[in-house]
Amino acid sequence: MTSTTPALLPIAGDACCSGAADAGALAEPEAQALARRLKALADPTRLRLLSIIAAHEGAEACVCDLTEPVGLSQPTVSHHLKQLVDAGLLSRDKRGVWAYYALRPGALDDVAHALVAGVAPR
Amino acid sequence: MTSTTPALLPIAGDACCSGAADAGALAEPEAQALARRLKALADPTRLRLLSIIAAHEGAEACVCDLTEPVGLSQPTVSHHLKQLVDAGLLSRDKRGVWAYYALRPGALDDVAHALVAGVAPR
DNA sequence: ACGATTCATCGACAGACATCGATACGAGGG
DNA sequence: CCCTCGTATCGATGTCTGTCGATGAATCGT
C-alpha cells in the first residue's frame, strides 16, 4: 500500500508555488511526519501516561509507577512508552535498575503548533 | 470566544481514590474523548484533506475536488471525510448534487489547546 | 556468587482500520 | 420518463495495533 509514491512529490519543501490547485497544502512527507506524531498521541492510554508522568513528582516516573494507574501489564506499558519516546515526546533516562521517563519540554506545544500551522497556514 | 469547551466530564465515582499519585491527571473519559479527536487527525490522508480544503477557493471543497489530489478512490475519500465530520472538524453542506466540506472554525485550535492543557495542566 | 527486582523484547492473538469494487440513492437534463 | 453524474453506503480483504504471557538482559543487595 502506497509503497510506490505514484505521483511525484516536491519533497524539497519549497514553501510557495507547489504547483497544483492545492497550493500551500501539506505535502505527503510533511503529512506523514505529523501524522506519525499524532498517532502516538491518539490513544487514551498514552495520553494518560503522559499526563501521569507530567503530574508526577519531579515530572518523571518509572515503569513501575505507571502500570498500576493505567491498569495494564508491564510489557504493554513499556510498549506504549517506547512509542512515545520514538515520537520524541518522552525522554528516557536509565538510572540503575529503574528507567525514568519525562516529558520532553516543548514537544507537545510543537505538535500542537505544527497541527494548527500545518493545516491552516493562514 | 472560540467556545473552547474542554468537555470536562464530572468523574462520577472515584470514591476509592486509591491514593494514586496521579492526582490531576487525565481521567479515562477525557482521555478517550481527546484520543478520539486525535485519531481522526492521525492519518496523513486526512491531514492532507483538511489542508487542501483549507487552501481551496472559499475554504470549501466537494468530494470530486479531493479525490485527485490525494490519489485515492471516491469511496475512500468519502469515508475519510465522514470521519472528520464525525470528529467535529469539518462541516458538510449539500447543495444540489454536490457536497461541500469546510473546516469548522476553531475546531483545530480546540484540539490543540485540549492536548496541551489536558496533558500538562500546570 | 546468588537471588531478587526492574525493564525490554518476542511470539501470538483479537480487534480496529484503510482501501477497494460494486451498488444504491438523489438531483438535473434530455 | 429515462439517463447521467456526484455521493454515500455495503461487503470483502489485507494490514496495522493493542494486549497479554513468557523469556532474556542488566543491576543491586546480601
Side-chain angles (χ1 to χ4, degrees):
Chain A
M1 44 157 142
T2 72
S3 53
T4 62
T5 359
L8 63 162
L9 280 201
I11 307 181
D14 42 359
C16 76
C17 53
S18 297
D22 50 337
L26 271 175
E28 249 173 60
E30 305 170 11
Q32 284 183 357
L34 180 53
R36 189 165 166 272
R37 285 190 288 177
L38 287 172
K39 213 175 276 274
L41 290 168
D43 183 284
T45 296
R46 288 194 285 269
L47 286 176
R48 295 199 70 205
L49 285 174
L50 287 176
S51 177
I52 293 170
I53 292 174
H56 207 260
E57 179 73 15
E60 65 177 9
C62 59
V63 180
C64 58
D65 290 331
L66 299 169
T67 50
E68 177 236 320
V70 299
L72 293 176
S73 71
Q74 173 265 319
T76 301
V77 173
S78 265
H79 169 69
H80 285 308
L81 290 172
K82 177 176 174 55
Q83 306 240 137
L84 291 169
V85 170
D86 287 348
L89 295 161
L90 283 183
S91 64
R92 178 177 175 275
D93 177 33
K94 186 147 192 175
R95 295 201 293 269
V97 185
W98 291 271
Y100 290 93
Y101 289 86
L103 263 72
R104 298 195 64 167
L108 268 180
D109 307 79
D110 207 12
V111 175
H113 177 266
L115 175 60
V116 175
V119 170
R122 53 175 303 105
Chain B
M1 73 161 171
T2 49
S3 72
T4 47
T5 318
L8 286 175
L9 302 184
I11 313 155
D14 202 51
C16 178
C17 66
S18 44
D22 55 336
L26 270 176
E28 287 140 25
E30 305 171 10
Q32 284 182 357
L34 180 53
R36 187 164 167 271
R37 287 191 287 177
L38 286 172
K39 214 176 276 274
L41 290 168
D43 184 283
T45 296
R46 289 194 283 270
L47 285 176
R48 295 201 71 202
L49 286 174
L50 287 176
S51 177
I52 293 170
I53 292 173
H56 206 261
E57 180 73 16
E60 64 176 10
C62 59
V63 180
C64 59
D65 290 330
L66 299 170
T67 51
E68 178 236 320
V70 298
L72 293 175
S73 70
Q74 174 265 318
T76 301
V77 173
S78 265
H79 169 69
H80 285 309
L81 291 173
K82 178 176 173 53
Q83 306 243 133
L84 291 168
V85 170
D86 288 347
L89 295 161
L90 283 183
S91 64
R92 178 178 175 274
D93 177 32
K94 186 148 193 177
R95 294 201 295 269
V97 186
W98 292 269
Y100 290 93
Y101 290 87
L103 263 71
R104 300 197 64 166
L108 268 179
D109 306 79
D110 210 10
V111 175
H113 176 266
L115 176 61
V116 175
V119 171
R122 321 186 35 95

